[in-house]
Amino acid sequence: MTAETRARGRVGSRAVRAVNGLTARWAATVRDGTVFSAAGVWPLLAFLADGAAGPARSELAEALGLPADQAASVGRELIAGMAAVPGLDSAVGLWTARTLELRPEWAAGLPAGTHGVLTGDVPADRRAMDTWAAERTGGLVERLPLPVTEATELVLANALTMRTEWLTPFDEVPLETAYGPWAATERLGLRRSTAVLDRIGVVGTPHGRVTRLTVLGRHALDVHLLLGEEGTDPGRVLGAGVGALAGQHTVLPGPRLPYGAVGPGLTVRRERGTSPRPPTLDVTTAAFDLRVSHDLRASPRLFGLTAAMDTDRGHFPGISGGHPLALDAAEQSAMARFGALGFRAAAVTAFGAVAGGAPDPRYVTTTVDARFDRPFGFLALHRHSRLVLAAGWVTDPPPFPEDPEEEWEEGR
């Protein structure tokens, strides 16, 4: 990759703050197992805001965290920046009815090669968009999550895919846990040890401590696992992870942790041995495989859609001046898979408009034991920019395979 390409593809701090802000606000609504991608929604809201007017424009700008007249340029920067990261793919798709005339200046603001046509043959149009979603996500999401009818005038979609392999793989083991709902069925656990203690840390927040494990992947694509105090609201745990990325919370790193129970699921102890050895971080966690669909219209204030969904009038004169448009559909299909060798996440988001025995133990060493063996959160992110690409909450890990030789499918 040339220096020019790297510069063009860099995700700026404005985009990171705006997308992570939407991630935190979306996380605050989480109550159960889920995965979502604000990074898959944000660019589409930005392009819609660029063409909106009146209350719809104001609401979209508030959801974006940026003025509407800046949104499209930051959206283009975000798309280009993500596309430039190895292991990360992002694409925008636009389909319009033949009778819908787009304003050239709005269409020119979209990434090149995004515009297709709705033929009016609903099954054929549906197949074309499903094919687009499957191709752009490598089959991780097979369908565009949007109803298409004869009344559909415009579809604006984003496909976002993240694939990374761990720098240090895990071993698959049966998960040993005292958490009742998980202990009732033998779950697929993951275990590994490392001498690098700074992969673990404790985030201090006004709502209690959160243990954070950083799992490093290739191409600077990482996953942070987040375990809060028992009973802590999932949104607060995920919010703590996002806040820590922004420097809003203090993180006490592994090498500075005191002895004892120092955080949720986290114990530091001194151990004696017969030979010197470096400190050890022992990690046990659960594999997870999540697939969720989100109807964004169910949270219109979160996404700035209240006015835009009023189909009694048009709200996007900047998209098609002579053809009033209102949103009648806004959905995201998202998946995340965390296994022994790596992580996969994908989200397809779409908006539709009508008319994301022991010898003498003389040596002492430090062992840090981290256990994510009850519901926990995760953030998948780009290490250098700290842009959160997907987030979620794990409540139902997959069972341990009956055949020990069976390898859990990781979507490679």
Side-chain angles (χ1 to χ4, degrees):
M1 185 185 297
T2 66
E4 178 183 357
T5 301
R6 285 194 298 270
R8 185 171 63 248
R10 186 179 299 117
V11 179
S13 58
R14 286 190 307 171
V16 172
R17 285 196 302 269
V19 173
N20 287 4
L22 180 58
T23 299
R25 294 191 297 276
W26 195 344
T29 71
V30 170
R31 296 293 179 269
D32 204 348
T34 193
V35 55
F36 62 90
S37 174
V41 175
W42 199 96
L44 302 186
L45 296 178
F47 295 133
L48 289 172
D50 185 48
R57 185 177 179 89
S58 300
E59 291 176 358
L60 285 164
E62 183 177 355
L64 288 164
L66 283 178
D69 59 0
Q70 300 177 20
S73 63
V74 178
R76 289 192 296 272
E77 170 195 294
L78 177 63
I79 293 292
M82 291 191 295
V85 176
L88 186 60
D89 293 309
S90 179
V92 172
L94 172 70
W95 296 265
T96 59
R98 298 183 189 277
T99 56
L100 182 68
E101 293 187 11
L102 295 174
R103 285 191 179 274
E105 57 270 28
W106 183 82
L110 298 175
T114 63
H115 192 187
V117 175
L118 295 173
T119 65
D121 181 339
V122 173
D125 290 339
R126 175 82 258 177
R127 287 194 297 273
M129 287 185 281
D130 289 347
T131 298
W132 179 89
E135 289 179 347
R136 295 305 185 279
T137 64
L140 294 176
V141 178
E142 297 180 346
R143 293 175 56 83
L144 194 81
L146 199 74
V148 178
T149 70
E150 293 179 354
T152 302
E153 299 279 346
L154 176 147
V155 174
L156 182 63
N158 173 262
L160 176 62
T161 308
M162 170 182 170
R163 298 172 183 266
T164 191
E165 287 73 46
W166 306 136
L167 299 185
T168 304
F170 291 83
D171 293 322
E172 294 184 348
V173 296
L175 181 66
E176 297 179 3
T177 174
Y179 179 65
W182 289 9
T185 302
E186 193 170 56
R187 308 287 178 145
L188 177 55
L190 303 173
R191 183 179 295 160
R192 76 179 190 189
S193 296
T194 176
V196 185
L197 298 191
D198 61 5
R199 299 288 184 264
I200 199 76
V202 178
V203 182
T205 81
H207 308 294
R209 299 169 300 173
V210 173
T211 296
R212 182 182 74 178
L213 174 72
T214 300
V215 186
L216 297 183
R218 299 189 185 280
H219 311 305
L221 297 175
D222 303 337
V223 175
H224 290 184
L225 302 186
L226 304 164
L227 184 69
E229 308 276 5
E230 289 198 54
T232 303
D233 185 84
R236 287 182 170 171
V237 176
L238 291 169
V242 177
L245 291 174
Q248 298 170 358
H249 303 306
T250 301
V251 181
L252 187 63
R256 293 174 50 197
L257 293 172
Y259 291 110
V262 294
L266 189 62
T267 303
V268 181
R269 61 183 186 273
R270 299 175 66 186
E271 293 185 332
R272 294 189 175 274
T274 58
S275 61
R277 62 184 178 90
T280 302
L281 170 61
D282 292 329
V283 174
T284 300
T285 187
F288 57 85
D289 190 358
L290 300 166
R291 289 184 180 273
V292 181
S293 295
H294 302 282
D295 185 347
L296 308 185
R297 297 173 302 171
S299 303
R301 292 187 61 186
L302 174 62
F303 301 106
L305 301 178
T306 303
M309 294 190 306
D310 179 3
T311 57
D312 289 339
R313 51 167 296 186
H315 307 281
F316 301 96
I319 294 178
S320 178
H323 199 120
L325 293 171
L327 297 180
D328 75 327
E331 302 191 24
Q332 181 180 91
S333 289
M335 63 78 62
R337 187 176 296 136
F338 184 106
L341 302 181
F343 179 80
R344 306 286 183 263
V348 175
T349 311
F351 290 84
V354 294
D360 181 24
R362 66 184 65 186
Y363 298 98
V364 177
T365 189
T366 297
T367 299
V368 181
D369 185 52
R371 297 188 61 83
F372 293 75
D373 57 358
R374 56 180 171 81
F376 60 89
F378 69 90
L379 302 176
L381 62 138
H382 180 234
R383 185 186 313 151
H384 303 316
S385 67
R386 299 192 171 188
L387 174 69
V388 177
L389 303 163
W393 189 253
V394 179
T395 61
D396 190 20
F400 191 77
E402 292 184 9
D403 181 356
E405 298 300 320
E406 178 184 342
E407 181 178 350
W408 184 55
E409 174 59 44
E410 295 192 77
R412 287 167 290 164

